[in-house]
Amino acid sequence: MRTLPELLVPAKSAVIVVDVQNDFCSPEGALGPTGAAMAMIPNLQRLLAGARAAGAPVIFIQTIHEDATDSEAWISRSDGKVASCCRKNTWGSEFTEVAPLPDEPVVIKHRYSAFVNTRLDSVLRTLKVETLVMTGVSTNVCVESTARLGYMLDYHIVFLSDCTAAYSEAEHEGALYNIRNHFGIVTTAGDVMAVWNEKTALAPA
């Protein structure tokens, strides 16, 4: 397996920000209290600042649900409890304490994986990205689903334990175990930024 410095060439490593949206993260969101999600956001904010300074692409993933994409199978998941999440043009679908810059892509998704029926792969191939730095919520659902499919599409996966969150510690740790053992490297925002800072310092003036 490649080392972090080998994987984290800034121009070829994109930060993927998955579903950091009010319904998933805010205490007033549709899924209720989510302390872990709010607690990781300061780490994510620092990571985004570091990525932008280093020249690493940042791509926001936004879940949007509407009648046109609500199949019977989809809305019946979780006994229908999450059918009201992230409806189109609602406060719940808006980003929580982070936001894309004007030139940063936003990829809309309607299922757990950000690769299913979206333009994400096209955006990544156009940017010549090779490594996905995975962040967001929920660790074990949408972030893990995206990382798994990304790996199977031949992207390297760097999964950040302190920039992801789930609705229980057991779910969070279980997803990290899966990624670590089968799909990629699990590390922290500090380790990633240390690599980027060193590469920036060594870059020709």
Side-chain angles (χ1 to χ4, degrees):
M1 181 178 289
R2 291 187 182 182
T3 64
L4 273 182
E6 291 172 329
L7 292 174
L8 292 173
V9 176
K12 296 181 179 181
S13 52
V15 177
I16 310 298
V17 185
V18 179
D19 293 356
V20 183
Q21 297 168 250
N22 290 331
D23 271 344
F24 296 131
C25 298
S26 172
E28 291 77 40
L31 296 188
T34 52
M38 295 303 295
M40 71 84 180
I41 286 179
N43 294 331
L44 179 58
Q45 291 170 331
R46 287 189 288 271
L47 178 78
L48 294 179
R52 289 159 176 160
V58 175
I59 300 172
F60 277 74
I61 310 299
Q62 185 176 27
T63 288
I64 299 291
H65 294 313
E66 57 182 313
D67 291 347
T69 58
D70 284 346
S71 69
E72 182 180 358
W74 183 247
I75 63 174
S76 63
R77 73 196 190 284
S78 303
D79 296 324
K81 291 184 295 186
V82 294
S84 63
C85 283
C86 295
R87 305 305 294 180
K88 186 177 182 179
N89 298 326
T90 65
W91 170 85
S93 68
E94 296 174 2
F95 294 116
T96 307
E97 298 188 13
V98 292
L101 298 181
D103 62 342
E104 291 174 344
V106 177
V107 173
I108 304 298
K109 72 178 178 68
H110 310 293
R111 295 295 183 265
Y112 292 145
S113 173
F115 284 102
V116 173
N117 297 327
T118 75
R119 66 190 183 114
L120 178 58
D121 192 47
S122 293
V123 171
L124 293 169
R125 303 293 180 192
T126 300
L127 293 172
K128 296 180 171 56
V129 166
E130 298 176 1
T131 297
L132 309 184
V133 180
M134 299 302 306
T135 72
V137 295
S138 174
T139 315
N140 61 311
V141 185
C142 294
V143 189
E144 184 178 359
S145 294
T146 301
R148 283 172 174 249
L149 190 45
Y151 172 77
M152 287 182 275
L153 290 170
D154 296 321
Y155 294 101
H156 299 287
I157 302 299
V158 175
F159 202 102
L160 302 194
S161 61
D162 59 349
C163 289
T164 51
Y167 293 94
S168 74
E169 187 65 17
E171 290 171 311
H172 181 70
E173 291 299 328
L176 297 181
Y177 177 89
N178 283 339
I179 296 297
R180 186 181 295 113
N181 284 278
H182 303 290
F183 301 103
I185 292 176
V186 175
T187 188
T188 65
D191 288 341
V192 170
M193 288 190 289
V195 172
W196 282 337
N197 289 341
E198 183 176 358
K199 289 183 180 294
T200 301
L202 294 174

